[in-house]
Amino acid sequence: MAARISVTGMGVICAIGNNLPSVLDSLRNGRSGIRPMKYLQSRHSELPVGEVQMSNAQMKQVLGISDPAPVSRTSLMGAIAIREALAQAAVGSLSGKRVALISGTTVGGMDVTELYFEQMKSDDSLLYLPQSNDCGKSTDEMARMAGLEGARTCTISTACSSALNSIILGAEMLARDEVDIVIAGGSEALSRFHLNGFNTLMILDHEPCRPFDATRAGLNLGEGAGFLVLEKDAGERSLAYVAGYGNRCDAFHQTASSENGEGAFLAMSDALAMAALQPEDIQYVNAHGTGTPNNDHSESQALKRLFGEKLPEISSTKGFTGHTTSASGSIEAIFCILAMRGGFIPANLGFSTADPGCILPSKGRGEARLENVICNAFGFGGNDSSLILSSREPRERETGAHYEVETAADLCISDPEALKDLKEFNISPMESRRMGKLMKASQLSALKALQAAGVDCPDAIITATAHGMLETSLQFLEEIEANGEEHLKPTLFMQSTHNTLSSAIAIRKRCHGYNITYSHGERSMEWAMLDASRLIATGKAQSVLVGHYDESTPLFDMFASRAGKAAPKPLYARSVVLKRK
């Protein structure tokens, strides 16, 4: 079968506007949305942020919600963006159509959890903790508020590349005729959890960020949501085409990027190859460009490796919105389409002084002909993804199944006593002490499964987790409450993201291949196995490591009991190696 994937609708809400027209106006006129904090209640009010300029109550009013119960900003913003995207796409009745909503997020409902964290320990009526650690709950909540109750829902959590990976998954599902319509993107609300987390890493700027500038000192956090409606062979209804994409892992460090930008280079190279384009065919790159010294240098090296001396125009739009983390890929993909259709280059706000080690970004241009653009989104753990959007119909690509799949190994660890076997894989006692129990279990089960399957380095690593790094997340929340947002440990935050497990395995095995994490409750492993089988069936991988990793804590068990559910297993690490038959 062959397919052309079209974008037929877009919806966005972020610091520079609550809808497409206002966002477009801000991009054209260079208006930044980075301001002092207004809605987030944090002791670090000295840090500028890119907040959506609406209260939760105002967003509820827009959505017609009268229920006074608290709802996460992540879900509220997402529902608003989804509604706008569907309205622009004018898809009509969805009855009888196979619809999927795919969202990317990392903090989920954490903004609600942290407001009630102390109270929830003693109030039996509060059940917010599971909402924050099961990111899929925010996606399901968006679907309900946006009128998509019958849609298949999926949540991807690969830190700052989450939303772009959602678009990639949606395009793959359409190309394989698994669905008729996809709404893909991401949403992320500011929270004290990730504001303090980034602050412990000492990468937040106290001034508006300056990506690629010699004086850059870090990033500004932002929030928002962006969703795209994707359809197959939409013809004149197309706003743009998804021409190519790449998902790779830098496999270097949990929070830092490699010196040569290997993951970023591979992701962009794969996107070009898929689109059958040459570097000179790209007119504009919307860079990840966070404003941190490490990220901007690494991405610059990747861009120079790919384009040589003939760089296209490049800018980071983080100076408009701040870094919207998990939502950044879809929000900035929408910026790219607005620029393509409007014929302009968004400015790299804040830039004034060139850095010899970085690319020279664009100051913006009012008239530009853009046929092919690259949108980059790179996340913690080296989860690097690139998307090529085109104004012209790309070539048809064959997507038929060619290969059968077999299970080469299936290994499960749930006994903490088994973790002593880590020493068999040359993991030192010192390194082991720095790992939480779930990190140890996931590493051990993955290494044993790969060994049993006779695979040294898999072509892809796919992880499923309902709750992610639950223990370290709760420990970090406890620290925030106990220490008043001061003197916090960066290690806890570094090990709190859902994709920590998948990327840690990739780093150990130096696996630069496809890397993704699904976090949608009990359905996480189902989505992971489907993705792995799809990779092998389409010839994109010969071997895939699929892991299902989850843990519990006494506090989490208490909430399960309140909800009338059986407590999850204290430790569960299952690794499956799939191979091409």
Side-chain angles (χ1 to χ4, degrees), residues 367-394:
E367 293 184 6
R369 184 177 179 183
L370 305 179
E371 293 184 351
N372 302 298
V373 304
I374 290 179
C375 181
N376 285 335
F378 307 144
F380 279 176
N383 278 110
D384 297 343
S385 295
S386 295
L387 175 71
I388 294 180
L389 295 159
S390 297
S391 59
R392 293 184 177 181
E393 281 194 8

mmCIF file of all heavy atoms in Angstrom, residues 367-394:
data_model
loop_
_atom_site.group_PDB
_atom_site.id
_atom_site.type_symbol
_atom_site.label_atom_id
_atom_site.label_comp_id
_atom_site.label_asym_id
_atom_site.label_seq_id
_atom_site.Cartn_x
_atom_site.Cartn_y
_atom_site.Cartn_z
ATOM 1 N N GLU A 367 9.594 37.772 4.134
ATOM 2 C CA GLU A 367 9.234 37.118 2.882
ATOM 3 C C GLU A 367 10.187 35.962 2.630
ATOM 4 O O GLU A 367 11.398 36.163 2.534
ATOM 5 C CB GLU A 367 9.288 38.107 1.713
ATOM 6 C CG GLU A 367 8.222 39.200 1.801
ATOM 7 C CD GLU A 367 8.233 40.100 0.571
ATOM 8 O OE1 GLU A 367 8.989 39.784 -0.381
ATOM 9 O OE2 GLU A 367 7.493 41.091 0.561
ATOM 10 N N ALA A 368 9.636 34.785 2.532
ATOM 11 C CA ALA A 368 10.459 33.599 2.295
ATOM 12 C C ALA A 368 9.600 32.516 1.652
ATOM 13 O O ALA A 368 8.428 32.341 2.015
ATOM 14 C CB ALA A 368 11.044 33.093 3.606
ATOM 15 N N ARG A 369 10.173 31.816 0.712
ATOM 16 C CA ARG A 369 9.476 30.704 0.069
ATOM 17 C C ARG A 369 9.967 29.408 0.706
ATOM 18 O O ARG A 369 11.131 29.024 0.558
ATOM 19 C CB ARG A 369 9.739 30.684 -1.424
ATOM 20 C CG ARG A 369 8.952 29.587 -2.147
ATOM 21 C CD ARG A 369 9.182 29.634 -3.641
ATOM 22 N NE ARG A 369 8.452 28.588 -4.333
ATOM 23 C CZ ARG A 369 8.510 28.366 -5.648
ATOM 24 N NH1 ARG A 369 9.278 29.159 -6.402
ATOM 25 N NH2 ARG A 369 7.828 27.391 -6.198
ATOM 26 N N LEU A 370 9.081 28.767 1.449
ATOM 27 C CA LEU A 370 9.442 27.563 2.178
ATOM 28 C C LEU A 370 8.677 26.371 1.630
ATOM 29 O O LEU A 370 7.450 26.310 1.724
ATOM 30 C CB LEU A 370 9.124 27.735 3.671
ATOM 31 C CG LEU A 370 9.750 28.943 4.378
ATOM 32 C CD1 LEU A 370 9.326 28.978 5.834
ATOM 33 C CD2 LEU A 370 11.264 28.921 4.262
ATOM 34 N N GLU A 371 9.408 25.430 1.061
ATOM 35 C CA GLU A 371 8.793 24.204 0.541
ATOM 36 C C GLU A 371 9.040 23.007 1.451
ATOM 37 O O GLU A 371 8.179 22.139 1.578
ATOM 38 C CB GLU A 371 9.322 23.903 -0.861
ATOM 39 C CG GLU A 371 8.886 24.924 -1.906
ATOM 40 C CD GLU A 371 9.357 24.548 -3.301
ATOM 41 O OE1 GLU A 371 10.167 23.593 -3.415
ATOM 42 O OE2 GLU A 371 8.938 25.204 -4.264
ATOM 43 N N ASN A 372 10.216 22.975 2.077
ATOM 44 C CA ASN A 372 10.565 21.874 2.970
ATOM 45 C C ASN A 372 11.238 22.430 4.221
ATOM 46 O O ASN A 372 12.225 23.163 4.122
ATOM 47 C CB ASN A 372 11.527 20.895 2.286
ATOM 48 C CG ASN A 372 10.960 20.317 1.006
ATOM 49 O OD1 ASN A 372 9.934 19.634 1.017
ATOM 50 N ND2 ASN A 372 11.611 20.592 -0.114
ATOM 51 N N VAL A 373 10.716 22.083 5.377
ATOM 52 C CA VAL A 373 11.306 22.570 6.624
ATOM 53 C C VAL A 373 11.511 21.396 7.574
ATOM 54 O O VAL A 373 10.785 20.392 7.522
ATOM 55 C CB VAL A 373 10.431 23.645 7.293
ATOM 56 C CG1 VAL A 373 10.165 24.806 6.352
ATOM 57 C CG2 VAL A 373 9.114 23.059 7.794
ATOM 58 N N ILE A 374 12.509 21.523 8.441
ATOM 59 C CA ILE A 374 12.783 20.521 9.470
ATOM 60 C C ILE A 374 12.404 21.104 10.822
ATOM 61 O O ILE A 374 12.737 22.250 11.134
ATOM 62 C CB ILE A 374 14.268 20.111 9.487
ATOM 63 C CG1 ILE A 374 14.624 19.303 8.240
ATOM 64 C CG2 ILE A 374 14.605 19.300 10.736
ATOM 65 C CD1 ILE A 374 16.086 18.874 8.164
ATOM 66 N N CYS A 375 11.733 20.311 11.631
ATOM 67 C CA CYS A 375 11.411 20.684 13.002
ATOM 68 C C CYS A 375 12.097 19.674 13.923
ATOM 69 O O CYS A 375 11.868 18.475 13.808
ATOM 70 C CB CYS A 375 9.900 20.668 13.221
ATOM 71 S SG CYS A 375 9.393 21.157 14.891
ATOM 72 N N ASN A 376 12.937 20.167 14.827
ATOM 73 C CA ASN A 376 13.688 19.305 15.735
ATOM 74 C C ASN A 376 13.125 19.340 17.148
ATOM 75 O O ASN A 376 12.701 20.392 17.632
ATOM 76 C CB ASN A 376 15.158 19.732 15.801
ATOM 77 C CG ASN A 376 15.941 19.322 14.568
ATOM 78 O OD1 ASN A 376 15.580 18.373 13.877
ATOM 79 N ND2 ASN A 376 17.024 20.028 14.287
ATOM 80 N N ALA A 377 13.153 18.195 17.819
ATOM 81 C CA ALA A 377 12.768 18.112 19.231
ATOM 82 C C ALA A 377 13.633 17.049 19.891
ATOM 83 O O ALA A 377 13.579 15.874 19.511
ATOM 84 C CB ALA A 377 11.287 17.763 19.382
ATOM 85 N N PHE A 378 14.437 17.469 20.855
ATOM 86 C CA PHE A 378 15.390 16.573 21.499
ATOM 87 C C PHE A 378 15.117 16.529 22.998
ATOM 88 O O PHE A 378 14.941 17.574 23.638
ATOM 89 C CB PHE A 378 16.826 17.045 21.258
ATOM 90 C CG PHE A 378 17.150 17.270 19.798
ATOM 91 C CD1 PHE A 378 17.981 18.299 19.407
ATOM 92 C CD2 PHE A 378 16.612 16.448 18.818
ATOM 93 C CE1 PHE A 378 18.284 18.511 18.077
ATOM 94 C CE2 PHE A 378 16.906 16.646 17.471
ATOM 95 C CZ PHE A 378 17.747 17.684 17.094
ATOM 96 N N GLY A 379 15.095 15.327 23.579
ATOM 97 C CA GLY A 379 14.720 15.184 24.979
ATOM 98 C C GLY A 379 15.814 14.598 25.853
ATOM 99 O O GLY A 379 16.820 14.072 25.366
ATOM 100 N N PHE A 380 15.602 14.664 27.167
ATOM 101 C CA PHE A 380 16.486 14.018 28.124
ATOM 102 C C PHE A 380 16.682 12.558 27.725
ATOM 103 O O PHE A 380 15.794 11.913 27.175
ATOM 104 C CB PHE A 380 15.891 14.067 29.528
ATOM 105 C CG PHE A 380 16.097 15.376 30.246
ATOM 106 C CD1 PHE A 380 15.536 15.575 31.497
ATOM 107 C CD2 PHE A 380 16.842 16.392 29.694
ATOM 108 C CE1 PHE A 380 15.716 16.769 32.184
ATOM 109 C CE2 PHE A 380 17.026 17.599 30.364
ATOM 110 C CZ PHE A 380 16.466 17.783 31.612
ATOM 111 N N GLY A 381 17.850 12.039 28.048
ATOM 112 C CA GLY A 381 18.158 10.659 27.705
ATOM 113 C C GLY A 381 18.579 10.493 26.260
ATOM 114 O O GLY A 381 18.799 9.374 25.799
ATOM 115 N N GLY A 382 18.682 11.611 25.524
ATOM 116 C CA GLY A 382 19.075 11.538 24.125
ATOM 117 C C GLY A 382 17.968 11.100 23.203
ATOM 118 O O GLY A 382 18.225 10.575 22.110
ATOM 119 N N ASN A 383 16.708 11.274 23.615
ATOM 120 C CA ASN A 383 15.573 10.941 22.743
ATOM 121 C C ASN A 383 15.405 12.037 21.700
ATOM 122 O O ASN A 383 14.737 13.040 21.932
ATOM 123 C CB ASN A 383 14.292 10.788 23.566
ATOM 124 C CG ASN A 383 14.180 9.432 24.211
ATOM 125 O OD1 ASN A 383 14.283 9.289 25.422
ATOM 126 N ND2 ASN A 383 13.977 8.403 23.398
ATOM 127 N N ASP A 384 16.040 11.871 20.544
ATOM 128 C CA ASP A 384 16.103 12.903 19.517
ATOM 129 C C ASP A 384 15.205 12.552 18.333
ATOM 130 O O ASP A 384 15.300 11.446 17.781
ATOM 131 C CB ASP A 384 17.538 13.073 19.016
ATOM 132 C CG ASP A 384 18.485 13.557 20.112
ATOM 133 O OD1 ASP A 384 17.987 14.058 21.134
ATOM 134 O OD2 ASP A 384 19.711 13.426 19.938
ATOM 135 N N SER A 385 14.353 13.500 17.939
ATOM 136 C CA SER A 385 13.442 13.273 16.813
ATOM 137 C C SER A 385 13.416 14.487 15.895
ATOM 138 O O SER A 385 13.550 15.623 16.349
ATOM 139 C CB SER A 385 12.033 12.968 17.313
ATOM 140 O OG SER A 385 12.023 11.750 18.039
ATOM 141 N N SER A 386 13.242 14.213 14.612
ATOM 142 C CA SER A 386 13.171 15.266 13.590
ATOM 143 C C SER A 386 12.018 14.975 12.646
ATOM 144 O O SER A 386 11.749 13.810 12.310
ATOM 145 C CB SER A 386 14.480 15.348 12.799
ATOM 146 O OG SER A 386 15.554 15.740 13.619
ATOM 147 N N LEU A 387 11.371 16.043 12.210
ATOM 148 C CA LEU A 387 10.208 15.931 11.325
ATOM 149 C C LEU A 387 10.403 16.860 10.131
ATOM 150 O O LEU A 387 10.803 18.018 10.302
ATOM 151 C CB LEU A 387 8.949 16.340 12.091
ATOM 152 C CG LEU A 387 7.627 16.413 11.338
ATOM 153 C CD1 LEU A 387 7.140 15.020 10.982
ATOM 154 C CD2 LEU A 387 6.580 17.138 12.187
ATOM 155 N N ILE A 388 10.130 16.373 8.922
ATOM 156 C CA ILE A 388 10.155 17.219 7.730
ATOM 157 C C ILE A 388 8.725 17.444 7.262
ATOM 158 O O ILE A 388 7.958 16.502 7.031
ATOM 159 C CB ILE A 388 10.981 16.592 6.587
ATOM 160 C CG1 ILE A 388 12.463 16.529 6.985
ATOM 161 C CG2 ILE A 388 10.833 17.414 5.300
ATOM 162 C CD1 ILE A 388 13.358 15.915 5.928
ATOM 163 N N LEU A 389 8.365 18.708 7.163
ATOM 164 C CA LEU A 389 7.062 19.130 6.647
ATOM 165 C C LEU A 389 7.263 19.777 5.282
ATOM 166 O O LEU A 389 8.206 20.558 5.093
ATOM 167 C CB LEU A 389 6.414 20.120 7.608
ATOM 168 C CG LEU A 389 6.056 19.542 8.981
ATOM 169 C CD1 LEU A 389 5.910 20.649 10.017
ATOM 170 C CD2 LEU A 389 4.773 18.715 8.895
ATOM 171 N N SER A 390 6.400 19.446 4.344
ATOM 172 C CA SER A 390 6.540 19.952 2.979
ATOM 173 C C SER A 390 5.251 20.603 2.504
ATOM 174 O O SER A 390 4.154 20.185 2.888
ATOM 175 C CB SER A 390 6.917 18.816 2.012
ATOM 176 O OG SER A 390 8.170 18.269 2.344
ATOM 177 N N SER A 391 5.394 21.613 1.648
ATOM 178 C CA SER A 391 4.227 22.279 1.069
ATOM 179 C C SER A 391 3.742 21.549 -0.176
ATOM 180 O O SER A 391 2.600 21.728 -0.596
ATOM 181 C CB SER A 391 4.561 23.729 0.724
ATOM 182 O OG SER A 391 5.633 23.789 -0.207
ATOM 183 N N ARG A 392 4.607 20.744 -0.764
ATOM 184 C CA ARG A 392 4.245 19.970 -1.953
ATOM 185 C C ARG A 392 4.028 18.510 -1.595
ATOM 186 O O ARG A 392 4.589 18.000 -0.629
ATOM 187 C CB ARG A 392 5.368 20.068 -3.001
ATOM 188 C CG ARG A 392 5.551 21.454 -3.584
ATOM 189 C CD ARG A 392 6.600 21.411 -4.671
ATOM 190 N NE ARG A 392 6.764 22.701 -5.324
ATOM 191 C CZ ARG A 392 7.612 22.919 -6.341
ATOM 192 N NH1 ARG A 392 8.358 21.917 -6.792
ATOM 193 N NH2 ARG A 392 7.707 24.112 -6.877
ATOM 194 N N GLU A 393 3.224 17.856 -2.402
ATOM 195 C CA GLU A 393 2.985 16.438 -2.169
ATOM 196 C C GLU A 393 4.294 15.675 -2.258
ATOM 197 O O GLU A 393 5.000 15.753 -3.260
ATOM 198 C CB GLU A 393 2.007 15.870 -3.202
ATOM 199 C CG GLU A 393 0.553 16.182 -2.918
ATOM 200 C CD GLU A 393 -0.383 15.321 -3.756
ATOM 201 O OE1 GLU A 393 0.108 14.393 -4.429
ATOM 202 O OE2 GLU A 393 -1.593 15.573 -3.736
ATOM 203 N N PRO A 394 4.640 14.908 -1.215
ATOM 204 C CA PRO A 394 5.849 14.082 -1.303
ATOM 205 C C PRO A 394 5.585 12.850 -2.151
ATOM 206 O O PRO A 394 4.451 12.572 -2.537
ATOM 207 C CB PRO A 394 6.106 13.711 0.160
ATOM 208 C CG PRO A 394 4.735 13.709 0.768
ATOM 209 C CD PRO A 394 3.954 14.793 0.063
#
